Amino acid sequence: MDYDTYGSTAVELAIELANAERDDPQWAGAFLSSHEEWFTPGTSFELSAGEVQRAAATAELVRAVALAETQPDVLDRLNELLALARPRPYATDHDGELHLHYARPDSPALEQLTTTVAMGLSQVVVQHGWQRLGVCAAENCDDVYVDTSRNASRRYCSNTCASRSTVAAYRARQKTD
Ligand SMILES: [Zn+2]
Ligand SMILES: [Zn+2]
């Protein structure tokens, strides 16, 4: 899959949100700060407790879409996520490349987050198929991923999980020999 064909890597933000650790009550603000390139400069990353809960709900919906195994389930969950979005697209070249932003630039951080994530994920699903989303096949990992490989062959969330699993499979084979 070539991102240039639809001009957005926003799905990566969706995947990273779905995989974000949420043990620390400050997780959402920390997530926003570490992804600040996605937000209008000057946007406040201070979230209320309610906003943190809504960010978690968005993360759960992204995960639910990635885990869904039938198209009707994908559509239900994706539409639930899209209902949280408030798209107000505009074209920009702020980074030198002409591209679309999905959220109103002066909207609060949570609105920018939810809208960008919902639109980015939807673009991939409708243009490349929901089978492009999956959950890591490694033991003890349940992170989700978007498969951007040409032949849609991805099974792991990361190279770390892929090589860990290769080693584990090799050891398991040796034991049974
Ligand atoms: Zn941009
Ligand atoms: Zn993994």
Side-chain angles (χ1 to χ4, degrees):
M1 170 161 69
D2 183 357
Y3 281 127
D4 290 345
T5 58
Y6 68 101
S8 173
T9 56
V11 65
E12 298 286 359
L13 182 67
I15 296 297
E16 282 165 27
L17 177 66
N19 292 338
E21 288 285 344
R22 301 202 299 266
D23 299 338
D24 186 329
Q26 303 298 319
W27 73 271
F31 180 86
L32 295 173
S33 302
S34 62
H35 294 81
E36 62 176 0
E37 70 275 16
W38 289 97
F39 299 87
T40 309
T43 303
S44 167
F45 294 150
E46 304 249 338
L47 300 185
S48 68
E51 287 179 316
V52 172
Q53 267 179 16
R54 278 149 65 204
T58 298
E60 280 305 315
L61 276 172
V62 173
R63 194 174 156 73
V65 171
L67 264 61
E69 288 176 347
T70 65
Q71 189 151 315
D73 277 352
V74 170
L75 288 175
D76 277 356
R77 295 165 188 187
L78 195 59
N79 283 325
E80 204 177 320
L81 179 62
L82 281 167
L84 303 176
R86 288 212 189 144
R88 220 274 343 241
Y90 71 100
T92 175
D93 62 356
H94 69 91
D95 60 358
E97 295 276 329
L98 195 59
H99 62 285
L100 282 179
H101 278 198
Y102 301 119
R104 190 166 53 89
D106 57 348
S107 61
L110 181 73
E111 186 174 325
Q112 292 184 46
L113 176 71
T114 306
T115 303
T116 306
V117 159
M119 297 303 289
L121 192 66
S122 313
Q123 292 267 23
V124 166
V125 169
V126 301
Q127 294 188 20
H128 302 280
W130 54 273
Q131 294 86 350
R132 287 280 177 174
L133 303 166
V135 62
C136 185
E139 244 175 271
N140 304 321
C141 180
D142 63 354
D143 279 3
V144 295
Y145 61 77
V146 56
D147 186 350
T148 55
S149 65
R150 195 174 291 268
N151 53 358
S153 58
R154 184 162 174 175
R155 291 177 55 224
Y156 300 102
C157 71
S158 60
N159 288 335
T160 313
C161 276
S163 53
R164 199 156 55 81
S165 301
T166 311
V167 171
Y170 176 74
R171 294 220 177 104
R173 261 199 315 277
Q174 282 197 320
K175 263 186 207 152
T176 56
D177 282 347

